Amino acid sequence: MKQYKPYVEKLAIFGCYAIAVVYFMVGLVALLSFLGQTSNGADEESIMGMILEIPLGEVLVGIVILGMLGYIVWRVFEAFADPYNFGGDLMGISRRTGIALSAVGYLIIAFAAGQALLEGGGNGDEDQQQMIAQVLEWPAGQWLVAIAGAITGFAGLVQFKYVIGGDYIKRIDFHNMPPWLDKTTHILGWAGYFARGIILLVIAYFLLHAGIAEEPQAMGDTDEAFDFMGDFGVIGHIVFIAVALGTMGYGVFMVIHGYFYSFKSEK
């Protein structure tokens, strides 16, 4: 068994906690919005804007960004260094590629948090549409946006594969958990990763639509993704609530993940 240096481990653990804060708040705001209890947007930039309004908000947002970037670095390191011994065969490379692509979702959040910090809040939906409009003006910009959509969609599908394949189990020390927390962690993990996957797939649809139709207004953020789910009547409302609860669950899961993070690889 191999164990990584403490500072590398702390980087990943710190990232888990930062991610937990953002996802739990996004899910909570989405649920409160659905219940008519708040008018705040359930997107990452709006969440960062809310944090900016509290004392030392800029410091807290900066900490979240650093945590996100730290976790992204760790995930890329996992893909290349293969600490969990997925291997170099076709299946192993596929799984390691999925690990690297899983950083896409976290990168989206880190980017939104950075925008909020620089702009003192802002409107995530409008900012993304402006960015897409600029990219569409580039040579082959339409293709670049569509490719970004395809990558985001694949990253969404990877979330399903990640949890169904049990890859998350290798990263958590279940042996030192009480039985009730063991079961709870699995439930939260499945709910959380499926919620992440659904949100990423909807955002991928926005990107593909914006690129193919050359309509930057078709782009939307996480808040728009929740609205999109809610547009399909009763079924849409059920999906909306399930994804909101799953997103909150993912936040709790990441706290447990960080506390019981296993950095030991198999021989």
Side-chain angles (χ1 to χ4, degrees), residues 17-255:
Y17 295 148
I19 291 166
V21 171
V22 176
Y23 272 92
F24 186 85
M25 289 187 66
V26 166
L28 179 61
V29 171
L31 191 60
L32 291 175
S33 176
F34 180 82
L35 297 174
Q37 299 301 308
T38 181
S39 59
N40 289 317
D43 61 276
E44 295 82 4
E45 193 166 347
S46 295
I47 296 299
M48 293 302 105
M50 292 168 59
I51 296 177
L52 285 172
E53 294 176 359
I54 66 178
L56 298 177
E58 291 184 357
V59 175
L60 292 175
V61 171
I63 290 173
V64 169
I65 294 173
L66 288 176
M68 289 282 182
L69 294 177
Y71 194 75
I72 290 168
V73 169
W74 171 255
R75 296 295 276 176
V76 174
F77 170 80
E78 277 190 33
F80 284 96
D82 193 21
Y84 298 102
N85 291 333
F86 288 119
D89 58 8
L90 184 60
M91 179 61 71
I93 292 174
S94 174
R95 295 173 79 175
R96 290 162 65 183
T97 301
I99 290 170
L101 285 174
S102 71
V104 171
Y106 305 121
L107 189 60
I108 291 173
I109 296 175
F111 179 76
Q115 279 189 313
L117 185 60
L118 292 173
E119 300 173 6
N123 188 309
D125 193 23
E126 292 181 2
D127 290 340
Q128 291 185 25
Q129 290 176 3
Q130 290 175 4
M131 182 177 67
I132 295 298
Q134 292 174 356
V135 174
L136 287 173
E137 294 177 357
W138 299 352
Q142 183 180 8
W143 285 103
L144 290 173
V145 174
I147 290 171
I151 292 174
T152 303
F154 185 70
L157 293 176
V158 165
Q159 305 308 303
F160 306 145
K161 171 64 174 63
Y162 186 79
V163 72
I164 292 173
D167 289 353
Y168 72 99
I169 295 174
K170 287 193 173 188
R171 295 166 176 80
I172 303 176
D173 184 5
F174 285 99
H175 298 295
N176 291 319
M177 281 187 188
W180 67 269
L181 186 57
D182 183 317
K183 296 178 181 179
T184 301
T185 301
H186 285 294
I187 293 171
L188 291 172
W190 277 72
Y193 279 106
F194 267 88
R196 282 194 79 218
I198 292 171
I199 291 172
L200 285 172
L201 286 175
V202 174
I203 292 176
Y205 167 75
F206 291 157
L207 279 166
L208 287 169
H209 186 186
I212 294 172
E214 296 188 82
E215 294 180 3
Q217 295 78 14
M219 183 57 195
D221 53 21
T222 306
D223 188 52
E224 288 292 323
F226 275 108
D227 290 340
F228 179 82
M229 297 175 213
D231 287 339
F232 293 91
V234 175
I235 299 298
H237 291 170
I238 293 173
V239 173
F240 184 113
I241 294 172
V243 172
L245 291 173
T247 303
M248 292 174 63
Y250 187 75
V252 178
F253 170 81
M254 289 304 289
V255 173

